[in-house]
Amino acid sequence: MYGLGIAKGMIVTFKHLFRKPFTVQYPEEVVPRGSRFRGYEFTWYEDRCTGCASCAKYCPLGTINIVTHPEGDPKQGMDYAIDIFDIDTGRCMFCGLCVEACPYEAIQAGGPLDDATYDFESLYRDKHKLTEMAQEHLHGHDFTYPNGKQAPQPDEKPLHIGLPVERDRTR
Ligand code: SF4
Ligand code: SF4
């Protein structure tokens, strides 16, 4: 029948006219993402990191590079000072094994999503760049880590992490 197609089309149009839109005004609005979302960048928190290198050992692509040296008084207990902590995110497949392997929650999945670049070199992040990204994340999220736990405020003493932290396995 002549006009039937137009009528059907208008019915569909009117049905959607009063529905809540699925789209959001990105980048002003961002769709909430689940806690198991794996598309994020990493953030790394130097104050939590002991330099144990578990993350680097578990990375199947050898993307994380760590160099440390022992420091402290052998009588009081030694620590590792972190000389180099690099992540070559251009090679990373975001499997999250490094995040799982870290006993201190020093490396976490969560960070910027909008950092596409034409400059391949900028995907190589050293500890200074990673710290800058971590600080940006904390300042933009009321000093909450990506895993939802509270981070120390800037005027508080940085956390001294002596023991592995209890993991929330639902994340
Ligand atoms: S997410 Fe996977 S590939 Fe990327 S750095 Fe971690 S362990 Fe390596
Ligand atoms: S596993 Fe965690 S604590 Fe150990 S070196 Fe990697 S980020 Fe640091």
Side-chain angles (χ1 to χ4, degrees):
M1 197 176 82
Y2 181 75
L4 187 62
I6 294 177
K8 278 184 181 170
M10 293 310 286
I11 289 169
V12 172
T13 303
F14 278 113
K15 262 192 349 202
H16 286 272
L17 208 57
F18 302 104
R19 282 191 183 164
K20 197 169 176 286
F22 292 105
T23 49
V24 298
Q25 297 298 320
Y26 185 83
E28 288 79 19
E29 290 176 64
V30 180
V31 177
R33 286 172 288 267
S35 59
R36 292 170 66 83
F37 179 70
R38 288 290 178 269
Y40 287 119
E41 278 291 353
F42 294 108
T43 42
W44 171 72
Y45 302 92
E46 186 169 6
D47 57 324
R48 303 188 67 92
C49 181
T50 60
C52 67
S54 292
C55 52
K57 287 176 200 151
Y58 273 79
C59 176
L61 301 180
T63 303
I64 303 175
N65 178 33
I66 305 175
V67 177
T68 59
H69 69 267
E71 69 169 8
D73 181 352
K75 290 183 193 141
Q76 307 280 329
M78 302 285 286
D79 282 324
Y80 285 114
I82 298 161
D83 301 320
I84 295 173
F85 193 106
D86 295 341
I87 306 181
D88 187 358
T89 53
R91 296 174 57 208
C92 173
M93 60 179 173
F94 297 98
C95 63
L97 286 177
C98 53
V99 176
E100 287 293 313
C102 178
Y104 304 99
E105 297 183 349
I107 183 165
Q108 298 189 17
L113 269 175
D114 52 352
D115 60 345
T117 177
Y118 288 108
D119 176 18
F120 201 72
E121 284 300 308
S122 69
L123 296 172
Y124 196 91
R125 280 150 194 177
D126 64 9
K127 72 173 193 170
H128 304 294
K129 180 65 189 168
L130 289 168
T131 298
E132 192 186 306
M133 289 169 68
Q135 289 303 318
E136 256 174 44
H137 177 88
L138 290 179
H139 281 86
H141 294 82
D142 197 22
F143 289 88
T144 306
Y145 291 121
N147 66 7
K149 294 183 183 172
Q150 192 65 42
Q153 297 291 324
D155 53 346
E156 286 175 349
K157 202 174 161 210
L159 285 179
H160 176 77
I161 307 297
L163 292 169
V165 289
E166 192 180 331
R167 300 295 303 265
D168 176 356
R169 304 306 296 182
T170 62
R171 287 189 177 274

